[in-house]
Amino acid sequence: MPERTGDKVIFSLLEVCNSIKKTLDTRYTSRFWVRAELMKLNYYKYSGHAYPDLVQKDDGRIVAQLKGIIWKSDLLKIQSAFQRNVNQPLTEGIEILFEASITYDAVHGLSLRIHQIDTTFSLGLIEKEKIQTIERLKNEGIFEANKNKSIRELPKNVAIISVETSKGWADFRQVIEPYISYYGLFFMMFPALLQGEGAVSTIREQLRRIQSVAKEFDMVMIIRGGGGEAGLSCYNNYDLCHDIATFPIPVLTGIGHSTNLTVAEMVAYYNAITPTALAEYYLNIFKTRESELVWTADSISKYTSLHIQQQKNHLNNLLTHLKNSSTRQLSSMKSAIEQTVENMHLSTQQVFQWHTSTLTEAIEKIQKNFVAYVSNQQKELQTITRIIRIQHPENILKKGYAYLLAGETAIKSVSQLFKNQEITLVLKDGRALGKILHVEKNTTNEQEKEETRTDN
């Protein structure tokens, strides 16, 4: 009962609260449907209850706010319905349509008890936002903008948007770790929230930071994992997707889910289903280039060896020809002398004069021909020497080529290679040690060679 002091009727605070509760219980006797934004879920793991903050916004300004209550039994049903129909749990930052009743407590005040949530309403809003974002980006002509970016031949410097504690980042690192030093890779972390409220703003903020130093990086990777389908709606946000589509360098995603693509993945340069798959795609860029270099080095080695051998054979032929030519000249000289002796019946003076003249002419002719021949051979030898010097492996290496060694043996064919074999890559200014990871024979060339041998 209220107190009376003079002409004043004084109620206790509890009496006022009880009066309010009685009025509300009398006025709101049935449940009703409410549309509001779930700003924060405020889930308590120990009790299993949630006490969400419900708001209504007008142009981003909160115009109404109430506390909510979702008891554990109702929350379990709601979460199950969301997983089944929306492919994600009930999460913060989304608009919901829920069935509620008024509750009032003298200590905790007025609350809306949430009995159930219409998942089709939430799903419709998510899909509506996704469709609107896609249409808007396409109308602006930027939907394919990032996909049309050129990726560098060896993109070693990568900006990572993730968090150090993310399971996705751990999975990515597990694949990449053995190759970081081998390929000279560099990763820089730009931490951000990857789902739920705050994800859009923090990811966009890190994209802006990276863009300010974009020339230092070859690509950006957004890596998220371990969270299933939860909180993926943020990746349909127009502002975030616009930033990704118009980013000055390629953006790759590995956000770890297996259902329909988000818009962020659609506009990215490349999207992988998991962080592990993204790591494998990234490494394959380097492995493919490495295979091409190994093949080129092998081809150079084969060509160089063949050309050197051909030049050696040509030089030996020239030396043999020179030797035979000298022998023929000496034989002609001997014949001339013998002919002189046969003509000894001539007078001594005649013989002497004839022999002297003939011998002199023969010697002069031999000297003239020999000098001319030797001069020509020297010029040809000089030309061959220059060709050999140009084709020398050291000079070929200076042009940017390389060749492979197994021990001290030159690798001339893929048949000399085997998995885990240690090899040496010789370049103009040093050597690099490596190990064969995979050997793949060029079956097309082998078949062509076999067909050629058959035709012959």
Side-chain angles (χ1 to χ4, degrees), residues 347-389:
S347 63
T348 302
Q349 183 150 1
Q350 288 176 325
V351 171
F352 178 78
Q353 290 176 347
W354 179 84
H355 177 69
T356 300
S357 177
T358 302
L359 185 58
T360 299
E361 290 177 0
I363 290 173
E364 289 176 352
K365 183 178 180 181
I366 290 172
Q367 288 177 338
K368 183 178 179 180
N369 291 339
F370 188 80
V371 169
Y373 183 78
V374 170
S375 177
N376 290 335
Q377 296 303 312
Q378 285 178 338
K379 290 179 180 179
E380 188 170 359
L381 283 173
Q382 289 173 355
T383 301
I384 293 171
T385 300
R386 285 196 299 272
I387 292 174
I388 292 175
R389 186 179 295 112

mmCIF file of all heavy atoms in Angstrom, residues 347-389:
data_model
loop_
_atom_site.group_PDB
_atom_site.id
_atom_site.type_symbol
_atom_site.label_atom_id
_atom_site.label_comp_id
_atom_site.label_asym_id
_atom_site.label_seq_id
_atom_site.Cartn_x
_atom_site.Cartn_y
_atom_site.Cartn_z
ATOM 1 N N SER A 347 124.381 -32.019 -121.264
ATOM 2 C CA SER A 347 125.683 -31.518 -120.840
ATOM 3 C C SER A 347 125.600 -31.020 -119.414
ATOM 4 O O SER A 347 124.531 -30.648 -118.933
ATOM 5 C CB SER A 347 126.143 -30.373 -121.764
ATOM 6 O OG SER A 347 125.247 -29.285 -121.653
ATOM 7 N N THR A 348 126.747 -31.040 -118.813
ATOM 8 C CA THR A 348 126.784 -30.659 -117.402
ATOM 9 C C THR A 348 126.223 -29.269 -117.193
ATOM 10 O O THR A 348 125.416 -29.024 -116.293
ATOM 11 C CB THR A 348 128.230 -30.717 -116.889
ATOM 12 O OG1 THR A 348 128.752 -32.018 -117.076
ATOM 13 C CG2 THR A 348 128.300 -30.319 -115.422
ATOM 14 N N GLN A 349 126.613 -28.350 -118.100
ATOM 15 C CA GLN A 349 126.131 -26.987 -117.940
ATOM 16 C C GLN A 349 124.650 -26.892 -118.212
ATOM 17 O O GLN A 349 123.902 -26.203 -117.520
ATOM 18 C CB GLN A 349 126.879 -26.035 -118.875
ATOM 19 C CG GLN A 349 126.432 -24.597 -118.680
ATOM 20 C CD GLN A 349 127.526 -23.571 -118.982
ATOM 21 O OE1 GLN A 349 128.645 -23.945 -119.357
ATOM 22 N NE2 GLN A 349 127.197 -22.339 -118.778
ATOM 23 N N GLN A 350 124.219 -27.625 -119.276
ATOM 24 C CA GLN A 350 122.801 -27.598 -119.602
ATOM 25 C C GLN A 350 121.964 -28.196 -118.453
ATOM 26 O O GLN A 350 120.919 -27.666 -118.072
ATOM 27 C CB GLN A 350 122.546 -28.389 -120.889
ATOM 28 C CG GLN A 350 123.063 -27.691 -122.145
ATOM 29 C CD GLN A 350 122.873 -28.554 -123.379
ATOM 30 O OE1 GLN A 350 122.987 -29.783 -123.305
ATOM 31 N NE2 GLN A 350 122.583 -27.913 -124.507
ATOM 32 N N VAL A 351 122.562 -29.355 -117.972
ATOM 33 C CA VAL A 351 121.834 -30.007 -116.857
ATOM 34 C C VAL A 351 121.768 -29.091 -115.657
ATOM 35 O O VAL A 351 120.731 -28.945 -114.986
ATOM 36 C CB VAL A 351 122.509 -31.337 -116.483
ATOM 37 C CG1 VAL A 351 121.915 -31.899 -115.200
ATOM 38 C CG2 VAL A 351 122.370 -32.328 -117.619
ATOM 39 N N PHE A 352 122.920 -28.444 -115.393
ATOM 40 C CA PHE A 352 122.969 -27.582 -114.215
ATOM 41 C C PHE A 352 121.989 -26.413 -114.357
ATOM 42 O O PHE A 352 121.224 -26.084 -113.444
ATOM 43 C CB PHE A 352 124.393 -27.062 -114.012
ATOM 44 C CG PHE A 352 124.538 -26.133 -112.840
ATOM 45 C CD1 PHE A 352 124.607 -26.624 -111.548
ATOM 46 C CD2 PHE A 352 124.558 -24.743 -113.025
ATOM 47 C CE1 PHE A 352 124.718 -25.772 -110.474
ATOM 48 C CE2 PHE A 352 124.677 -23.905 -111.952
ATOM 49 C CZ PHE A 352 124.765 -24.399 -110.665
ATOM 50 N N GLN A 353 122.017 -25.774 -115.566
ATOM 51 C CA GLN A 353 121.147 -24.632 -115.803
ATOM 52 C C GLN A 353 119.661 -25.050 -115.765
ATOM 53 O O GLN A 353 118.808 -24.372 -115.175
ATOM 54 C CB GLN A 353 121.492 -23.991 -117.163
ATOM 55 C CG GLN A 353 122.852 -23.280 -117.170
ATOM 56 C CD GLN A 353 123.201 -22.747 -118.551
ATOM 57 O OE1 GLN A 353 122.564 -23.105 -119.541
ATOM 58 N NE2 GLN A 353 124.229 -21.891 -118.617
ATOM 59 N N TRP A 354 119.380 -26.174 -116.446
ATOM 60 C CA TRP A 354 117.979 -26.620 -116.488
ATOM 61 C C TRP A 354 117.464 -26.997 -115.101
ATOM 62 O O TRP A 354 116.380 -26.648 -114.688
ATOM 63 C CB TRP A 354 117.875 -27.832 -117.425
ATOM 64 C CG TRP A 354 116.457 -28.365 -117.500
ATOM 65 C CD1 TRP A 354 115.453 -27.957 -118.264
ATOM 66 C CD2 TRP A 354 115.970 -29.457 -116.724
ATOM 67 N NE1 TRP A 354 114.325 -28.663 -118.053
ATOM 68 C CE2 TRP A 354 114.623 -29.627 -117.072
ATOM 69 C CE3 TRP A 354 116.554 -30.293 -115.756
ATOM 70 C CZ2 TRP A 354 113.839 -30.602 -116.508
ATOM 71 C CZ3 TRP A 354 115.753 -31.253 -115.193
ATOM 72 C CH2 TRP A 354 114.388 -31.414 -115.563
ATOM 73 N N HIS A 355 118.297 -27.758 -114.381
ATOM 74 C CA HIS A 355 117.920 -28.214 -113.042
ATOM 75 C C HIS A 355 117.723 -27.037 -112.097
ATOM 76 O O HIS A 355 116.749 -26.972 -111.332
ATOM 77 C CB HIS A 355 118.987 -29.155 -112.506
ATOM 78 C CG HIS A 355 118.696 -29.611 -111.098
ATOM 79 N ND1 HIS A 355 117.660 -30.444 -110.786
ATOM 80 C CD2 HIS A 355 119.317 -29.307 -109.923
ATOM 81 C CE1 HIS A 355 117.636 -30.664 -109.492
ATOM 82 N NE2 HIS A 355 118.667 -29.975 -108.934
ATOM 83 N N THR A 356 118.688 -26.076 -112.214
ATOM 84 C CA THR A 356 118.599 -24.920 -111.318
ATOM 85 C C THR A 356 117.326 -24.124 -111.589
ATOM 86 O O THR A 356 116.600 -23.711 -110.675
ATOM 87 C CB THR A 356 119.815 -24.013 -111.503
ATOM 88 O OG1 THR A 356 121.000 -24.763 -111.197
ATOM 89 C CG2 THR A 356 119.735 -22.794 -110.570
ATOM 90 N N SER A 357 117.058 -23.934 -112.895
ATOM 91 C CA SER A 357 115.855 -23.164 -113.253
ATOM 92 C C SER A 357 114.577 -23.873 -112.819
ATOM 93 O O SER A 357 113.660 -23.269 -112.251
ATOM 94 C CB SER A 357 115.863 -22.945 -114.777
ATOM 95 O OG SER A 357 114.674 -22.269 -115.158
ATOM 96 N N THR A 358 114.550 -25.188 -113.145
ATOM 97 C CA THR A 358 113.341 -25.959 -112.790
ATOM 98 C C THR A 358 113.120 -26.000 -111.287
ATOM 99 O O THR A 358 111.998 -25.850 -110.778
ATOM 100 C CB THR A 358 113.445 -27.392 -113.341
ATOM 101 O OG1 THR A 358 113.616 -27.317 -114.750
ATOM 102 C CG2 THR A 358 112.191 -28.195 -113.010
ATOM 103 N N LEU A 359 114.234 -26.267 -110.578
ATOM 104 C CA LEU A 359 114.139 -26.378 -109.132
ATOM 105 C C LEU A 359 113.696 -25.060 -108.501
ATOM 106 O O LEU A 359 112.862 -25.009 -107.590
ATOM 107 C CB LEU A 359 115.472 -26.833 -108.554
ATOM 108 C CG LEU A 359 115.492 -27.116 -107.042
ATOM 109 C CD1 LEU A 359 114.458 -28.190 -106.690
ATOM 110 C CD2 LEU A 359 116.878 -27.525 -106.601
ATOM 111 N N THR A 360 114.245 -23.970 -109.028
ATOM 112 C CA THR A 360 113.901 -22.643 -108.503
ATOM 113 C C THR A 360 112.417 -22.349 -108.710
ATOM 114 O O THR A 360 111.710 -21.866 -107.818
ATOM 115 C CB THR A 360 114.742 -21.570 -109.177
ATOM 116 O OG1 THR A 360 116.131 -21.819 -108.906
ATOM 117 C CG2 THR A 360 114.376 -20.180 -108.632
ATOM 118 N N GLU A 361 111.927 -22.642 -109.942
ATOM 119 C CA GLU A 361 110.525 -22.415 -110.245
ATOM 120 C C GLU A 361 109.621 -23.275 -109.370
ATOM 121 O O GLU A 361 108.580 -22.813 -108.880
ATOM 122 C CB GLU A 361 110.252 -22.720 -111.728
ATOM 123 C CG GLU A 361 110.882 -21.714 -112.679
ATOM 124 C CD GLU A 361 110.654 -22.073 -114.136
ATOM 125 O OE1 GLU A 361 110.007 -23.114 -114.388
ATOM 126 O OE2 GLU A 361 111.097 -21.327 -115.004
ATOM 127 N N ALA A 362 110.073 -24.559 -109.208
ATOM 128 C CA ALA A 362 109.259 -25.460 -108.383
ATOM 129 C C ALA A 362 109.192 -24.982 -106.940
ATOM 130 O O ALA A 362 108.134 -24.991 -106.296
ATOM 131 C CB ALA A 362 109.825 -26.884 -108.456
ATOM 132 N N ILE A 363 110.349 -24.557 -106.425
ATOM 133 C CA ILE A 363 110.393 -24.095 -105.026
ATOM 134 C C ILE A 363 109.552 -22.835 -104.855
ATOM 135 O O ILE A 363 108.788 -22.686 -103.886
ATOM 136 C CB ILE A 363 111.853 -23.852 -104.601
ATOM 137 C CG1 ILE A 363 112.577 -25.187 -104.486
ATOM 138 C CG2 ILE A 363 111.887 -23.125 -103.242
ATOM 139 C CD1 ILE A 363 114.057 -25.055 -104.230
ATOM 140 N N GLU A 364 109.686 -21.893 -105.826
ATOM 141 C CA GLU A 364 108.900 -20.653 -105.742
ATOM 142 C C GLU A 364 107.399 -20.937 -105.797
ATOM 143 O O GLU A 364 106.601 -20.336 -105.066
ATOM 144 C CB GLU A 364 109.301 -19.719 -106.889
ATOM 145 C CG GLU A 364 110.695 -19.116 -106.707
ATOM 146 C CD GLU A 364 111.103 -18.263 -107.902
ATOM 147 O OE1 GLU A 364 110.381 -18.276 -108.915
ATOM 148 O OE2 GLU A 364 112.125 -17.579 -107.798
ATOM 149 N N LYS A 365 107.045 -21.872 -106.694
ATOM 150 C CA LYS A 365 105.616 -22.227 -106.807
ATOM 151 C C LYS A 365 105.103 -22.872 -105.527
ATOM 152 O O LYS A 365 104.007 -22.553 -105.045
ATOM 153 C CB LYS A 365 105.428 -23.172 -107.991
ATOM 154 C CG LYS A 365 103.974 -23.543 -108.232
ATOM 155 C CD LYS A 365 103.841 -24.437 -109.452
ATOM 156 C CE LYS A 365 102.393 -24.806 -109.699
ATOM 157 N NZ LYS A 365 102.235 -25.697 -110.883
ATOM 158 N N ILE A 366 105.940 -23.785 -104.988
ATOM 159 C CA ILE A 366 105.545 -24.455 -103.737
ATOM 160 C C ILE A 366 105.399 -23.437 -102.613
ATOM 161 O O ILE A 366 104.425 -23.466 -101.837
ATOM 162 C CB ILE A 366 106.565 -25.536 -103.363
ATOM 163 C CG1 ILE A 366 106.468 -26.700 -104.365
ATOM 164 C CG2 ILE A 366 106.323 -26.044 -101.938
ATOM 165 C CD1 ILE A 366 107.559 -27.725 -104.209
ATOM 166 N N GLN A 367 106.395 -22.540 -102.522
ATOM 167 C CA GLN A 367 106.353 -21.543 -101.444
ATOM 168 C C GLN A 367 105.103 -20.655 -101.573
ATOM 169 O O GLN A 367 104.418 -20.357 -100.591
ATOM 170 C CB GLN A 367 107.612 -20.686 -101.482
ATOM 171 C CG GLN A 367 108.853 -21.439 -101.008
ATOM 172 C CD GLN A 367 110.105 -20.575 -101.123
ATOM 173 O OE1 GLN A 367 110.138 -19.610 -101.896
ATOM 174 N NE2 GLN A 367 111.121 -20.935 -100.358
ATOM 175 N N LYS A 368 104.853 -20.198 -102.852
ATOM 176 C CA LYS A 368 103.706 -19.323 -103.073
ATOM 177 C C LYS A 368 102.395 -20.007 -102.731
ATOM 178 O O LYS A 368 101.536 -19.446 -102.034
ATOM 179 C CB LYS A 368 103.710 -18.874 -104.537
ATOM 180 C CG LYS A 368 102.587 -17.886 -104.873
ATOM 181 C CD LYS A 368 102.674 -17.453 -106.313
ATOM 182 C CE LYS A 368 101.564 -16.487 -106.664
ATOM 183 N NZ LYS A 368 101.631 -16.053 -108.083
ATOM 184 N N ASN A 369 102.245 -21.251 -103.243
ATOM 185 C CA ASN A 369 100.996 -21.985 -102.967
ATOM 186 C C ASN A 369 100.854 -22.311 -101.486
ATOM 187 O O ASN A 369 99.760 -22.255 -100.913
ATOM 188 C CB ASN A 369 100.952 -23.268 -103.794
ATOM 189 C CG ASN A 369 100.798 -22.993 -105.278
ATOM 190 O OD1 ASN A 369 100.354 -21.913 -105.667
ATOM 191 N ND2 ASN A 369 101.181 -23.961 -106.122
ATOM 192 N N PHE A 370 101.981 -22.701 -100.873
ATOM 193 C CA PHE A 370 101.926 -23.092 -99.465
ATOM 194 C C PHE A 370 101.565 -21.903 -98.580
ATOM 195 O O PHE A 370 100.743 -22.002 -97.659
ATOM 196 C CB PHE A 370 103.274 -23.697 -99.051
ATOM 197 C CG PHE A 370 103.224 -24.289 -97.656
ATOM 198 C CD1 PHE A 370 102.677 -25.540 -97.442
ATOM 199 C CD2 PHE A 370 103.693 -23.568 -96.554
ATOM 200 C CE1 PHE A 370 102.614 -26.082 -96.173
ATOM 201 C CE2 PHE A 370 103.636 -24.119 -95.288
ATOM 202 C CZ PHE A 370 103.088 -25.371 -95.086
ATOM 203 N N VAL A 371 102.198 -20.726 -98.878
ATOM 204 C CA VAL A 371 101.909 -19.528 -98.090
ATOM 205 C C VAL A 371 100.442 -19.124 -98.244
ATOM 206 O O VAL A 371 99.754 -18.802 -97.276
ATOM 207 C CB VAL A 371 102.832 -18.375 -98.527
ATOM 208 C CG1 VAL A 371 102.351 -17.049 -97.901
ATOM 209 C CG2 VAL A 371 104.263 -18.641 -98.117
ATOM 210 N N ALA A 372 99.952 -19.176 -99.493
ATOM 211 C CA ALA A 372 98.544 -18.816 -99.723
ATOM 212 C C ALA A 372 97.602 -19.783 -99.020
ATOM 213 O O ALA A 372 96.596 -19.385 -98.407
ATOM 214 C CB ALA A 372 98.262 -18.795 -101.231
ATOM 215 N N TYR A 373 97.930 -21.059 -99.092
ATOM 216 C CA TYR A 373 97.065 -22.068 -98.473
ATOM 217 C C TYR A 373 97.047 -21.921 -96.950
ATOM 218 O O TYR A 373 95.992 -21.953 -96.309
ATOM 219 C CB TYR A 373 97.540 -23.460 -98.865
ATOM 220 C CG TYR A 373 96.662 -24.552 -98.315
ATOM 221 C CD1 TYR A 373 95.437 -24.844 -98.916
ATOM 222 C CD2 TYR A 373 97.022 -25.256 -97.173
ATOM 223 C CE1 TYR A 373 94.612 -25.823 -98.409
ATOM 224 C CE2 TYR A 373 96.211 -26.232 -96.663
ATOM 225 C CZ TYR A 373 95.008 -26.521 -97.298
ATOM 226 O OH TYR A 373 94.203 -27.495 -96.776
ATOM 227 N N VAL A 374 98.284 -21.755 -96.402
ATOM 228 C CA VAL A 374 98.374 -21.598 -94.949
ATOM 229 C C VAL A 374 97.618 -20.353 -94.501
ATOM 230 O O VAL A 374 96.918 -20.348 -93.481
ATOM 231 C CB VAL A 374 99.844 -21.541 -94.506
ATOM 232 C CG1 VAL A 374 99.940 -21.125 -93.027
ATOM 233 C CG2 VAL A 374 100.505 -22.894 -94.700
ATOM 234 N N SER A 375 97.727 -19.254 -95.287
ATOM 235 C CA SER A 375 97.022 -18.015 -94.933
ATOM 236 C C SER A 375 95.510 -18.234 -94.908
ATOM 237 O O SER A 375 94.814 -17.802 -93.993
ATOM 238 C CB SER A 375 97.380 -16.925 -95.934
ATOM 239 O OG SER A 375 96.655 -15.738 -95.646
ATOM 240 N N ASN A 376 94.997 -18.938 -95.944
ATOM 241 C CA ASN A 376 93.560 -19.225 -95.996
ATOM 242 C C ASN A 376 93.122 -20.105 -94.828
ATOM 243 O O ASN A 376 92.066 -19.903 -94.230
ATOM 244 C CB ASN A 376 93.196 -19.900 -97.322
ATOM 245 C CG ASN A 376 93.311 -18.951 -98.497
ATOM 246 O OD1 ASN A 376 93.199 -17.734 -98.315
ATOM 247 N ND2 ASN A 376 93.541 -19.480 -99.691
ATOM 248 N N GLN A 377 93.957 -21.110 -94.525
ATOM 249 C CA GLN A 377 93.606 -22.004 -93.426
ATOM 250 C C GLN A 377 93.618 -21.276 -92.084
ATOM 251 O O GLN A 377 92.802 -21.540 -91.200
ATOM 252 C CB GLN A 377 94.568 -23.204 -93.392
ATOM 253 C CG GLN A 377 94.492 -24.109 -94.622
ATOM 254 C CD GLN A 377 93.080 -24.640 -94.822
ATOM 255 O OE1 GLN A 377 92.472 -25.117 -93.881
ATOM 256 N NE2 GLN A 377 92.553 -24.540 -96.043
ATOM 257 N N GLN A 378 94.588 -20.346 -91.934
ATOM 258 C CA GLN A 378 94.645 -19.588 -90.685
ATOM 259 C C GLN A 378 93.390 -18.723 -90.515
ATOM 260 O O GLN A 378 92.844 -18.602 -89.426
ATOM 261 C CB GLN A 378 95.896 -18.701 -90.680
ATOM 262 C CG GLN A 378 97.185 -19.493 -90.437
ATOM 263 C CD GLN A 378 98.416 -18.597 -90.492
ATOM 264 O OE1 GLN A 378 98.369 -17.517 -91.093
ATOM 265 N NE2 GLN A 378 99.493 -19.047 -89.866
ATOM 266 N N LYS A 379 92.953 -18.090 -91.618
ATOM 267 C CA LYS A 379 91.735 -17.271 -91.543
ATOM 268 C C LYS A 379 90.532 -18.129 -91.159
ATOM 269 O O LYS A 379 89.688 -17.741 -90.356
ATOM 270 C CB LYS A 379 91.484 -16.592 -92.887
ATOM 271 C CG LYS A 379 92.490 -15.507 -93.211
ATOM 272 C CD LYS A 379 92.188 -14.877 -94.577
ATOM 273 C CE LYS A 379 93.203 -13.790 -94.920
ATOM 274 N NZ LYS A 379 92.937 -13.197 -96.249
ATOM 275 N N GLU A 380 90.436 -19.318 -91.764
ATOM 276 C CA GLU A 380 89.315 -20.199 -91.449
ATOM 277 C C GLU A 380 89.375 -20.676 -90.008
ATOM 278 O O GLU A 380 88.366 -20.754 -89.313
ATOM 279 C CB GLU A 380 89.297 -21.389 -92.401
ATOM 280 C CG GLU A 380 88.024 -22.242 -92.247
ATOM 281 C CD GLU A 380 87.886 -23.268 -93.347
ATOM 282 O OE1 GLU A 380 88.747 -23.318 -94.234
ATOM 283 O OE2 GLU A 380 86.913 -24.030 -93.292
ATOM 284 N N LEU A 381 90.615 -20.964 -89.549
ATOM 285 C CA LEU A 381 90.777 -21.386 -88.152
ATOM 286 C C LEU A 381 90.397 -20.255 -87.198
ATOM 287 O O LEU A 381 89.792 -20.487 -86.147
ATOM 288 C CB LEU A 381 92.234 -21.818 -87.897
ATOM 289 C CG LEU A 381 92.627 -23.193 -88.431
ATOM 290 C CD1 LEU A 381 94.106 -23.409 -88.275
ATOM 291 C CD2 LEU A 381 91.843 -24.286 -87.711
ATOM 292 N N GLN A 382 90.772 -19.018 -87.549
ATOM 293 C CA GLN A 382 90.401 -17.883 -86.705
ATOM 294 C C GLN A 382 88.876 -17.732 -86.627
ATOM 295 O O GLN A 382 88.316 -17.452 -85.575
ATOM 296 C CB GLN A 382 91.044 -16.605 -87.254
ATOM 297 C CG GLN A 382 92.553 -16.550 -87.056
ATOM 298 C CD GLN A 382 93.186 -15.350 -87.751
ATOM 299 O OE1 GLN A 382 92.501 -14.613 -88.450
ATOM 300 N NE2 GLN A 382 94.488 -15.158 -87.546
ATOM 301 N N THR A 383 88.215 -17.904 -87.789
ATOM 302 C CA THR A 383 86.746 -17.821 -87.810
ATOM 303 C C THR A 383 86.124 -18.900 -86.941
ATOM 304 O O THR A 383 85.204 -18.659 -86.148
ATOM 305 C CB THR A 383 86.244 -17.963 -89.261
ATOM 306 O OG1 THR A 383 86.801 -16.920 -90.058
ATOM 307 C CG2 THR A 383 84.700 -17.883 -89.289
ATOM 308 N N ILE A 384 86.636 -20.119 -87.081
ATOM 309 C CA ILE A 384 86.114 -21.240 -86.276
ATOM 310 C C ILE A 384 86.366 -20.991 -84.794
ATOM 311 O O ILE A 384 85.511 -21.256 -83.942
ATOM 312 C CB ILE A 384 86.779 -22.560 -86.730
ATOM 313 C CG1 ILE A 384 86.328 -22.898 -88.159
ATOM 314 C CG2 ILE A 384 86.414 -23.696 -85.785
ATOM 315 C CD1 ILE A 384 87.072 -24.046 -88.772
ATOM 316 N N THR A 385 87.553 -20.462 -84.495
ATOM 317 C CA THR A 385 87.891 -20.182 -83.085
ATOM 318 C C THR A 385 86.918 -19.178 -82.492
ATOM 319 O O THR A 385 86.455 -19.320 -81.362
ATOM 320 C CB THR A 385 89.330 -19.651 -82.981
ATOM 321 O OG1 THR A 385 90.227 -20.635 -83.502
ATOM 322 C CG2 THR A 385 89.686 -19.375 -81.506
ATOM 323 N N ARG A 386 86.601 -18.113 -83.285
ATOM 324 C CA ARG A 386 85.642 -17.125 -82.781
ATOM 325 C C ARG A 386 84.270 -17.757 -82.552
ATOM 326 O O ARG A 386 83.583 -17.464 -81.579
ATOM 327 C CB ARG A 386 85.523 -15.959 -83.770
ATOM 328 C CG ARG A 386 86.718 -15.009 -83.733
ATOM 329 C CD ARG A 386 86.385 -13.690 -84.431
ATOM 330 N NE ARG A 386 86.058 -13.886 -85.841
ATOM 331 C CZ ARG A 386 86.940 -13.900 -86.844
ATOM 332 N NH1 ARG A 386 88.224 -13.726 -86.577
ATOM 333 N NH2 ARG A 386 86.565 -14.059 -88.100
ATOM 334 N N ILE A 387 83.839 -18.625 -83.480
ATOM 335 C CA ILE A 387 82.529 -19.287 -83.326
ATOM 336 C C ILE A 387 82.519 -20.143 -82.072
ATOM 337 O O ILE A 387 81.562 -20.130 -81.294
ATOM 338 C CB ILE A 387 82.226 -20.147 -84.573
ATOM 339 C CG1 ILE A 387 82.008 -19.241 -85.788
ATOM 340 C CG2 ILE A 387 80.983 -21.010 -84.331
ATOM 341 C CD1 ILE A 387 81.859 -19.990 -87.080
ATOM 342 N N ILE A 388 83.613 -20.900 -81.874
ATOM 343 C CA ILE A 388 83.690 -21.769 -80.682
ATOM 344 C C ILE A 388 83.669 -20.924 -79.419
ATOM 345 O O ILE A 388 83.016 -21.250 -78.429
ATOM 346 C CB ILE A 388 84.960 -22.644 -80.747
ATOM 347 C CG1 ILE A 388 84.831 -23.665 -81.886
ATOM 348 C CG2 ILE A 388 85.175 -23.366 -79.419
ATOM 349 C CD1 ILE A 388 86.067 -24.485 -82.111
ATOM 350 N N ARG A 389 84.400 -19.782 -79.447
ATOM 351 C CA ARG A 389 84.440 -18.918 -78.261
ATOM 352 C C ARG A 389 83.046 -18.357 -77.952
ATOM 353 O O ARG A 389 82.631 -18.275 -76.814
ATOM 354 C CB ARG A 389 85.421 -17.773 -78.502
ATOM 355 C CG ARG A 389 85.639 -16.894 -77.227
ATOM 356 C CD ARG A 389 86.639 -15.776 -77.465
ATOM 357 N NE ARG A 389 87.976 -16.326 -77.746
ATOM 358 C CZ ARG A 389 88.583 -16.237 -78.952
ATOM 359 N NH1 ARG A 389 87.976 -15.633 -79.948
ATOM 360 N NH2 ARG A 389 89.790 -16.743 -79.154
#
